[in-house]
Amino acid sequence: MQTVPLLTVICALMLYAGAAVFLLGLGHKIVWYARTPAPLKIPTMPAPTNGIGVALRMAREAALFESLFKSNKWAWLFSALFHLGLLLEVLRHLRYFVQPLWGWVVLIQPAGLYGGFAMVVGLLGLLARRLLVARVYYVTQPSDYLMILLLLGIAASGLSVTYLDHADIVSFKEFILGVLYFDWQPLPANPLLVIHLVLASVLMAVFPFSKLLHAPAVFFSPTRNQVDNARERRHLAPWAARLEAGLNK
Amino acid sequence: MAKPDFNVPRLAEYLEPPQLAPDAMAGSKPFKASRQHQAALGFPGELVENWEEVAIAKLGELLGKYRSLRVYLDGCVKCGACTDKCHYFLGTGDPKNMPVARQDLLRSVYRRYFTPAGKLFPKLVGARDLDNSVLDEWYSYFHQCSQCRRCSLFCPFGIDTAEISAAAREILDAIGVGQKYCNEILGKVHAIGNNLGLPGAALQDTLAGLEEDVKADTGVDVRFPLNVEGAEVLLIPPSADFFAEPHVDGLIGYAKVLHQAGITWTLSSYASEAANFAMFIGNYEQMRKVALRIRKAALDLKVKRIVIGECGHAWRVAYSFLNTLAGPFDFLDRNYPVPQHIVEITHDLITRGAIRLDREANDHIKVTFHDSCNVARASRMGDRPGGQFVLPREVINASCNHFHDMDPDTIGERTFCCGGGGGLLTDDLLELRVKGALPRMQALRQVQQEHGVTHIAAICAICKSQFTKVLPFYGFPMDAVVSVHQLVSNAIQLGAKA
Ligand code: SF4
Ligand code: SF4
């Protein structure tokens, strides 16, 4: 068996670590959110009166950022650009993970290329808003800037290996598949690619400890995911039921 | 009106977000609850010695009990979308009155004590130790939130600052720093049955007086029954309806409607108060205790239905929480929702032609309608989402000929709080109340100029009291506020059965 270069080992281990922290940390948070009861009915009204309505409300919120659109068109525009770009990039990157390739992943490759640019434009817009709107500047903490810089770094390094300093896509895919199946293959020695991988690992690792938790939070938000049926159905949290049993004695 | 010792904001043509005025309202603090007020609710009488520990432990407890708190403290991305949505920020310019900044007062402590990032890198993520200055800010700024939920409507994750400020107030109570206004009132509810401390005998007198007034006015014997067993409806108004203006005209309106519809009804001296101030201090047990009075009154008086009068947060607690807190209500007539809003009753009677209204009786005024925050964003009327906007307007339109809505950005789900909700309707917070009313006053000025609107109809006891107080600061007459059922009262045709 050939020896695996040190860089490959480091990058592979880093990816494992990032993915592990991401999965465990996020899983932990999600379990915690799911286990914590929402003792009172607090949907922001008007709210749907049945489950289908709520599913649609959540879908609009998650896919279209409905409330943000209501709230602030610029923030919505930049945010939508960034997230749409990110989505396209994530889907496009599937080509490194699946073998044989799925047809639709091949189909979206050209569109996916625009994703990186959309991300950059969206992020720069969000950054500008943070710096230029006094109200937003006021509530911004260092970590908020760092997060934008991290994402910009990922987008920029990714765009660079695509457009400036072409990495060897074929051997990169072998590397990724090797990591996936624990059969390590050498990583093409391209500094930008390495940076891209390092930053992506960092992003995964900080996810469960940062405001990126807004991704699960949107689905667990009681003001958005509750059905307006308080008069029809009694809603009682387990701890409230215990309290009731104690008080009624 | 005495000259205020603060500047009343000028009403501009448009509502623009103000320049940031850091710490402009840092000095705004309500009176603290006395030892007695605290004791009556089982809270410590003064700041406990190890208050930092107790506060953190309480926060930990609440994080385990309320998903909202946990998710909202984690989920904010500081997008700033909510920053220009709070009436207290718009009226004061104090950046800590921006909803996200208000949340951050608690979030910073949450991060420090409950998250790895805040424990390891406090500066980076804006985490801070709980100390006296933080406590001071909490007391000040969590009593500058009327829990109106306007921010939650506009937040991409529905983050509801009301949940955060209610939790913060619960922590404050737990360490012995309660707010006088809310806690004193809750004590009165427990001891006497209503917020005003109006005992049963006084209530009886008041109601007898109202019967005489209506008789003198209309020649009709409209009754205001108290503690009548076996009545169909138990009516629970906010206690301000018993004597405050214009609230009492609303109560007269309910009585006339029920009289004319031939629905037997009663008030209860035991539960003579729809308000539930425990919601404002975020305390589930207190809220439950207050809510159980309504259940007991309904059982004792053997009524079939519960109907709530015009009061915003009371309707929220009734509509959204009553079933949870004091249900199930299977002993009531299940043909009707439990509880019902008086507007639902009146609306239904109008729709069925069971009562008749003469709109011309209100021709001397031009009316607009203030959607109460708690009715708009925290409850519903009727069987369709948004009924809380439609039903009151249809009732008003059936009662008067001249109705004009305010700017769409300030009504319906986007409505602005009157500035006095959430346990802030106290004179020690007058500056906050006047400034917080700015967005509503601005919208009112606009319809006054464009349509000659003379009166603003309200559907909440707090809104009515708040407007009566603050309207003069902006150059409106204090009696420009009317109850919705006051319009009905003016217009209803008594005796002439449909
Ligand atoms: S709108 Fe929501 S996510 Fe954005 S800053 Fe305000 S609370 Fe945070
Ligand atoms: S709930 Fe209302 S008062 Fe409180 S922060 Fe939000 S908008 Fe302001």
Side-chain angles (χ1 to χ4, degrees):
Chain A
M1 193 186 137
Q2 84 203 76
T3 50
V4 185
L6 184 63
L7 183 68
T8 302
V9 175
I10 293 174
C11 283
L13 291 177
M14 200 182 56
L15 283 172
Y16 288 134
V21 174
F22 173 76
L23 290 174
L24 292 175
L26 188 61
H28 176 74
K29 274 287 179 186
I30 287 179
V31 169
W32 215 336
Y33 292 157
R35 278 212 188 137
T36 311
L40 293 166
K41 280 284 191 171
I42 58 165
T44 311
M45 305 281 196
T49 50
N50 56 41
I52 297 172
V54 165
L56 288 174
R57 181 186 203 177
M58 307 266 300
R60 289 196 307 272
E61 206 63 270
L64 305 175
F65 309 164
E66 184 180 44
S67 297
L68 188 57
F69 186 76
K70 212 180 261 181
S71 188
N72 189 303
K73 301 290 184 283
W74 284 113
W76 180 86
L77 181 70
F78 293 131
S79 176
L81 264 179
F82 163 69
H83 284 90
L84 188 66
L86 180 65
L87 177 70
L88 284 173
E89 283 300 338
V90 167
L91 295 178
R92 194 176 73 88
H93 278 64
L94 281 177
R95 73 161 166 173
Y96 301 116
F97 293 86
V98 284
Q99 184 65 28
L101 261 190
W102 302 325
W104 65 267
V105 176
V106 180
L107 278 180
I108 63 157
Q109 289 303 310
L113 283 176
Y114 295 109
F117 292 108
M119 280 174 72
V120 170
V121 173
L123 286 167
L124 289 176
L126 291 172
L127 180 61
R129 197 176 128 73
R130 240 177 231 303
L131 292 167
L132 298 177
V133 180
R135 298 189 309 273
V136 190
Y137 182 77
Y138 180 92
V139 298
T140 300
Q141 264 121 28
S143 55
D144 298 312
Y145 294 118
L146 282 184
M147 189 57 75
I148 293 188
L149 294 180
L150 175 61
L151 289 163
L152 272 175
I154 292 174
S157 56
L159 285 170
S160 308
V161 276
T162 313
Y163 290 106
L164 297 179
D165 186 6
H166 298 279
D168 178 351
I169 298 297
V170 176
S171 48
F172 178 63
K173 177 162 187 171
E174 277 168 13
F175 164 76
I176 291 288
L177 288 174
V179 169
L180 265 185
Y181 298 107
F182 299 97
D183 169 23
W184 295 352
Q185 302 299 322
L187 173 69
N190 177 320
L192 286 167
L193 187 60
V194 174
I195 292 176
H196 192 62
L197 285 182
V198 171
L199 295 180
S201 307
V202 171
L203 183 73
M204 286 194 288
V206 298
F207 197 108
F209 306 104
S210 68
K211 65 174 182 178
L212 298 183
L213 287 171
H214 69 279
V218 68
F219 297 101
F220 284 99
S221 174
T223 56
R224 293 293 182 269
N225 72 11
Q226 286 186 340
V227 180
D228 166 14
N229 61 359
R231 288 196 286 194
E232 292 76 30
R233 291 259 296 270
R234 187 156 189 243
H235 174 89
L236 197 65
W239 64 260
R242 285 196 297 277
L243 178 92
E244 210 163 88
L247 285 184
N248 284 344
K249 255 180 230 156
Chain B
M1 185 184 92
K3 207 178 145 24
D5 52 4
F6 53 85
N7 289 327
V8 177
R10 261 178 359 102
L11 296 182
E13 197 168 338
Y14 300 102
L15 189 63
E16 293 278 355
Q19 296 278 319
L20 299 191
D23 294 328
M25 295 299 284
S28 173
K29 291 185 176 65
F31 294 150
K32 291 199 171 130
S34 73
R35 196 171 274 284
Q36 287 82 356
H37 302 144
Q38 289 284 95
L41 306 185
F43 301 142
E46 60 183 30
L47 187 62
V48 296
E49 212 166 299
N50 56 339
W51 66 270
E52 295 93 336
E53 273 166 55
V54 177
I56 298 302
K58 188 75 190 176
L59 176 54
E61 177 196 326
L62 296 177
L63 285 168
K65 281 171 132 179
Y66 291 90
R67 181 187 294 166
S68 53
L69 191 61
R70 188 172 277 288
V71 171
Y72 295 159
L73 287 177
D74 274 346
C76 171
V77 296
K78 310 289 169 80
C79 70
C82 61
T83 53
D84 55 352
K85 302 299 186 284
C86 176
H87 52 289
Y88 290 122
F89 170 69
L90 293 171
T92 68
D94 189 322
K96 292 195 182 111
N97 276 330
M98 300 188 297
V100 45
R102 195 188 311 288
Q103 299 157 23
D104 277 350
L105 300 176
L106 185 63
R107 186 176 287 119
S108 54
V109 171
Y110 162 73
R111 287 198 169 154
R112 184 74 181 114
Y113 295 87
F114 293 92
T115 70
K119 285 178 187 166
L120 297 173
F121 315 106
K123 286 257 153 50
L124 196 67
V125 297
R128 54 183 188 163
D129 290 327
L130 181 55
D131 60 17
N132 278 308
S133 70
V134 174
L135 178 60
D136 213 45
E137 278 187 341
W138 281 7
Y139 193 74
S140 180
Y141 290 99
F142 286 122
H143 290 113
Q144 298 190 43
C145 170
S146 59
Q147 308 178 338
C148 75
R149 316 177 87 214
R150 193 167 193 266
C151 45
S152 120
L153 175 78
F154 289 103
C155 171
F157 318 107
I159 294 178
D160 183 359
T161 316
E163 292 290 302
I164 312 263
S165 69
R169 291 184 194 179
E170 193 166 20
I171 296 171
L172 288 168
D173 274 326
I175 60 174
V177 194
Q179 182 220 25
K180 174 170 182 255
Y181 177 65
C182 282
N183 292 3
E184 183 179 25
I185 279 180
L186 278 164
K188 281 186 202 160
V189 172
H190 294 320
I192 303 168
N194 55 59
N195 285 6
L196 297 162
L198 201 65
L203 194 55
Q204 189 82 65
D205 282 354
T206 308
L207 297 174
L210 289 178
E211 288 182 355
E212 279 168 30
D213 291 351
V214 176
K215 172 86 178 177
D217 229 31
T218 64
V220 179
D221 279 309
V222 173
R223 302 277 335 275
F224 288 74
L226 182 66
N227 299 332
V228 175
E229 238 180 70
E232 161 105 3
V233 162
L234 169 62
L235 178 74
I236 308 187
S239 59
D241 280 8
F242 294 125
F243 70 94
E245 285 287 348
H247 312 56
V248 68
D249 301 303
L251 176 62
I252 293 172
Y254 321 151
K256 286 182 180 171
V257 166
L258 293 166
H259 167 92
Q260 189 59 18
I263 300 172
T264 60
W265 64 287
T266 185
L267 297 156
S268 154
S269 57
Y270 175 74
S272 49
E273 175 67 75
N276 191 330
F277 273 37
M279 181 177 88
F280 300 152
I281 61 168
N283 189 296
Y284 190 96
E285 287 173 49
Q286 285 292 326
M287 192 155 68
R288 177 160 188 271
K289 218 172 143 192
V290 176
L292 282 171
R293 289 158 44 252
I294 294 178
R295 180 186 180 89
K296 179 163 159 44
L299 281 166
D300 289 351
L301 294 172
K302 304 188 174 61
V303 295
K304 299 201 184 74
R305 299 154 68 179
I306 296 173
V307 176
I308 307 291
E310 294 182 5
C311 183
H313 85 276
W315 180 237
R316 178 185 191 186
V317 177
Y319 177 90
S320 292
F321 306 159
L322 192 64
N323 200 3
T324 295
L325 297 168
F329 286 96
D330 33 21
F331 58 90
L332 296 174
D333 185 342
R334 296 316 316 236
N335 291 316
Y336 300 94
V338 182
Q340 286 179 286
H341 194 286
I342 186 70
V343 164
E344 293 180 311
I345 308 276
T346 304
H347 184 268
D348 174 59
L349 293 169
I350 294 172
T351 315
R352 289 195 282 118
I355 54 173
R356 262 209 228 133
L357 300 165
D358 170 21
R359 288 196 181 90
E360 280 164 25
N362 285 311
D363 269 356
H364 57 296
I365 56 177
K366 291 192 169 143
V367 185
T368 192
F369 177 60
H370 167 73
D371 290 282
S372 295
C373 52
N374 272 293
V375 174
R377 286 184 291 265
S379 68
R380 193 182 80 209
M381 289 179 196
D383 46 18
R384 246 169 267 151
Q388 65 270 41
F389 312 129
V390 178
L391 269 59
R393 283 178 174 76
E394 289 187 354
V395 168
I396 294 171
N397 270 316
S399 311
C400 70
N401 280 314
H402 307 292
F403 173 78
H404 300 278
D405 256 324
M406 289 177 279
D407 186 323
D409 270 342
T410 72
I411 59 167
E413 64 174 8
R414 296 171 181 232
T415 192
F416 279 104
C417 165
C418 62
L424 309 180
L425 189 77
T426 169
D427 282 351
D428 34 318
L429 293 174
L430 187 61
E431 176 177 0
L432 178 76
R433 287 169 54 190
V434 169
K435 292 183 172 173
L438 171 85
R440 175 46 76 228
M441 294 296 112
Q442 203 270 345
L444 179 60
R445 172 62 47 83
Q446 200 182 340
V447 283
Q448 181 196 43
Q449 285 171 350
E450 285 171 15
H451 301 288
V453 162
T454 58
H455 287 73
I456 179 164
I459 203 176
C460 164
I462 289 178
C463 299
K464 292 172 198 172
S465 300
Q466 158 76 352
F467 286 147
T468 305
K469 185 88 181 187
V470 305
L471 280 167
F473 284 88
Y474 290 93
F476 299 101
M478 66 185 281
D479 57 5
V481 52
V482 292
S483 294
V484 168
H485 271 80
Q486 179 177 356
L487 301 171
V488 176
S489 172
N490 291 344
I492 193 167
Q493 302 291 290
L494 293 177
K497 285 277 174 208

